[in-house]
Amino acid sequence: MKALVVKNTGSWYQLKTEDNRLIEAKLKGNFRLKDIKSTNPISVGDVVLVEENPGATAFICEIEDRKNYLVRRSSNLSKQSHVIAANIDQAFLIATANYPVTTPTFIDRFLATTEAYRIPTVIFFNKTDRYSNEDKEYADALIHLYRTIGYPCYLISALEDKDFSFIQDLLKDKITLFSGHSGVGKSTIINRLIPDAGQKTQEISAYHNKGMHTTTFSEMIEWPEGGYIIDTPGIKGFGVFDMDGVEISHYFPEIFQFSHDCKFNNCSHRKEPGCAVLKAVEAHYISESRYKSYLSMLEDESEGKYREAF
Ligand SMILES: Nc1nc2c(ncn2[C@@H]2O[C@H](COP(=O)(O)OP(=O)(O)OP(=O)(O)O)[C@@H](O)[C@H]2O)c(=O)[nH]1
Ligand SMILES: [Mg+2]
Ligand SMILES: [Zn+2]
């Protein structure tokens, strides 16, 4: 029987079967790991074949090909990756101007990654009720920047906003990934959208101004009108994963657009003569912060190592 993996804690997987039952299953012993670099061969969002054994353990025996998936490195300098979720229709990047701070570099790395997997992404700046004037200006500047590039952006307060219907309208019949740093309010927003989701939340550390990594496993929660929301653990940074040098510029849509006019086909947009991207940066058609993020990803790629976003 076919089933959707909705939760994974250690060696147990929670599955939603085709005929709408929630069951627990384990991986069959001889299950072949297709992607041996990954610490978790099966992730939330995977469609699998499950063998049920009345009165005994059910086993996952096959995984269907993925439409896409997002990975993060398991740890610094580690070659292993961890699949956050598979078969994602859209991503919501939850950001915060403060409590904690989300930097443009982090946002750019996230967006380049979702571009690479062709996952449409919406950015939400949460916790507006706590913003100082300075925080508000920072959020407004980022919203202006990302809207210009083509990413929908919204200012929200999960605690104080009365009407979340515009977010609800985006969810129907889609698998939506919620991602962002620890403590930005992913689980809080999900609890607002689905009051009986019961996702654990926790105050951020006042001392470090950072989240406490409250959500530790990705989990799919059914959207009552069709579709799923995926709550995920907070991420620190995104490394350059499976992208080669020239390719990176393809995932910055505005840089890619200008690059058609570069003199050289394989222009890296660093210091080549006749580089249309450099000209566009100088003329402020491409923002300096986006260009810097692009360069930092190129650098990581050429050093062949993973470095955290900040
Ligand atoms: N003032 C304010 N606090 C918020 C808002 N949204 C969330 N919080 C608080 O921020 C803290 C962290 O929220 P969580 O929902 O646990 O954050 P998370 O993104 O799920 O964090 P991880 O699970 O660690 O990745 C909690 O104390 C929330 O009550 C908001 O809009 N305004
Ligand atoms: Mg959480
Ligand atoms: Zn160029």
Side-chain angles (χ1 to χ4, degrees):
M1 159 119 28
K2 260 196 208 181
L4 175 71
V5 180
V6 293
K7 194 174 179 179
N8 167 219
T9 49
S11 60
W12 284 101
Y13 296 83
Q14 197 175 84
L15 312 179
K16 178 90 182 206
T17 60
E18 244 176 344
D19 56 359
N20 264 325
R21 289 169 300 126
L22 268 182
I23 62 168
E24 306 275 327
K26 283 191 161 183
L27 269 190
K28 207 166 173 176
N30 64 353
F31 187 86
R32 286 277 146 251
L33 308 182
K34 275 193 192 162
D35 178 8
I36 45 164
K37 280 190 297 184
S38 159
T39 51
N40 56 335
I42 289 203
S43 120
V44 156
D46 271 323
V47 178
V48 296
L49 283 183
V50 61
E51 271 175 18
E52 288 188 79
N53 304 297
T57 308
F59 284 107
I60 296 171
C61 46
E62 229 180 286
I63 172 174
E64 289 205 346
D65 285 343
R66 292 170 175 158
K67 169 169 104 174
N68 58 35
Y69 58 97
L70 275 188
V71 293
R72 63 175 164 79
R73 289 279 167 98
S74 291
S75 64
N76 260 1
L77 301 174
S78 153
K79 290 262 182 262
Q80 279 204 314
S81 63
H82 183 88
V83 181
I84 300 170
N87 302 317
I88 304 154
D89 292 319
Q90 62 181 350
F92 285 2
L93 174 58
I94 313 302
T96 35
N98 207 341
Y99 317 108
V101 177
T102 304
T103 65
T105 318
F106 175 78
I107 297 176
D108 291 338
R109 282 177 178 244
F110 186 87
L111 294 175
T113 309
T114 54
E115 286 288 342
Y117 294 106
R118 296 196 175 79
I119 301 169
T121 303
V122 181
I123 310 173
F124 294 89
F125 288 88
N126 187 33
K127 305 202 185 185
T128 52
D129 58 284
R130 286 191 77 176
Y131 289 179
S132 65
N133 285 339
E134 207 181 317
D135 296 335
K136 177 102 182 43
E137 277 169 27
Y138 176 69
D140 284 343
L142 292 182
I143 286 176
H144 176 73
L145 167 63
Y146 293 108
R147 277 195 186 145
T148 308
I149 301 165
Y151 297 103
C153 297
Y154 299 100
L155 283 165
I156 60 167
S157 164
L159 292 192
E160 295 196 350
D161 285 354
K162 298 278 175 291
D163 183 15
F164 266 28
S165 58
F166 78 98
I167 305 181
Q168 294 169 338
D169 290 343
L170 300 172
L171 298 172
K172 193 172 161 32
D173 292 333
K174 296 212 167 103
I175 293 181
T176 305
L177 176 96
F178 279 58
S179 191
H181 287 318
S182 175
V184 294
K186 299 177 292 296
S187 302
T188 307
I189 298 169
I190 291 170
N191 286 339
R192 272 291 311 268
L193 293 166
I194 306 179
D196 49 6
Q199 296 301 97
K200 249 199 262 164
T201 67
Q202 189 180 190
E203 265 181 48
I204 66 168
S205 143
Y207 184 73
H208 296 286
N209 197 25
K210 288 204 164 120
M212 306 298 280
H213 293 281
T214 309
T215 305
T216 47
F217 294 100
S218 297
E219 180 172 358
M220 290 182 98
I221 302 138
E222 215 166 338
W223 177 242
E225 289 163 39
Y228 285 89
I229 289 175
I230 310 180
D231 194 5
T232 64
I235 41 173
K236 288 207 187 86
F238 258 104
V240 180
F241 202 80
D242 287 347
M243 285 186 205
D244 69 33
V246 176
E247 224 183 306
I248 293 173
S249 68
H250 298 190
Y251 306 132
F252 286 74
E254 77 283 30
I255 293 182
F256 186 54
Q257 210 181 351
F258 279 100
S259 72
H260 298 308
D261 296 326
C262 291
K263 187 170 168 193
F264 301 110
N265 266 337
N266 60 349
C267 187
S268 73
H269 322 304
R270 272 181 292 206
K271 39 179 157 287
E272 291 90 339
C275 174
V277 170
L278 278 172
K279 257 188 238 144
V281 174
E282 276 159 27
H284 307 290
Y285 289 120
I286 292 174
S287 102
E288 190 111 352
S289 76
R290 291 276 292 170
Y291 181 63
K292 277 193 186 145
S293 296
Y294 163 71
L295 290 182
S296 82
M297 287 181 74
L298 260 194
E299 216 170 277
D300 279 7
E301 194 276 334
S302 64
E303 285 170 14
K305 69 169 196 200
Y306 171 59
R307 201 180 58 198
E308 282 193 335
F310 50 90

